[in-house]
Amino acid sequence: MAAFAFMTAFFVVSSTLTHTVFSEMFKPHDMSKWPKPPCKMYYPVDPLYESPCPDVTSYVCATNGHTYQNECFLCIDRWEFGPHIKFDKYGKCD
């Protein structure tokens, strides 16, 4: 009889944990609420200074339709070519 109670408790706990984990995993995320890239952090201190961007792949899409490797490359292009290049979304452009 104790084995039945143990198995019932185990089933209830494991099914609750499984539901909690997988419901959060597949929930749609609203990326419009994510913060914009902090571009001032990547701007060079001197116009002749080259700002090295990290070699990290975390795609960022800009309003010009270009997909950048990460937010640092977006911010450097914005600094070099003007404020008309704006952040659109995280991820590759469509």
Side-chain angles (χ1 to χ4, degrees):
M1 194 66 165
F4 179 72
F6 176 74
M7 291 299 288
T8 304
F10 176 75
F11 175 74
V12 169
V13 170
S14 63
S15 64
T16 303
L17 288 174
T18 303
H19 175 71
T20 304
V21 169
F22 284 108
S23 65
E24 189 64 32
M25 189 182 289
F26 296 111
K27 186 170 109 178
H29 298 286
D30 185 9
M31 291 190 183
S32 66
K33 295 181 180 178
W34 287 26
K36 306 280 187 267
C39 281
K40 289 184 180 182
M41 179 172 113
Y42 299 112
Y43 290 161
V45 277
D46 183 22
L48 300 176
Y49 175 76
E50 297 240 352
S51 182
C53 288
D55 189 23
V56 175
T57 302
S58 179
Y59 295 116
V60 177
C61 179
T63 54
N64 62 354
H66 185 77
T67 300
Y68 293 92
Q69 182 178 351
N70 58 41
E71 60 188 23
C72 177
F73 289 103
L74 167 78
C75 293
I76 295 301
D77 264 12
R78 187 170 183 209
W79 181 76
E80 287 181 0
F81 301 114
H84 67 278
I85 299 174
K86 297 189 186 310
F87 169 80
D88 185 30
K89 67 176 186 170
Y90 287 100
K92 291 184 175 182
C93 296
D94 298 328

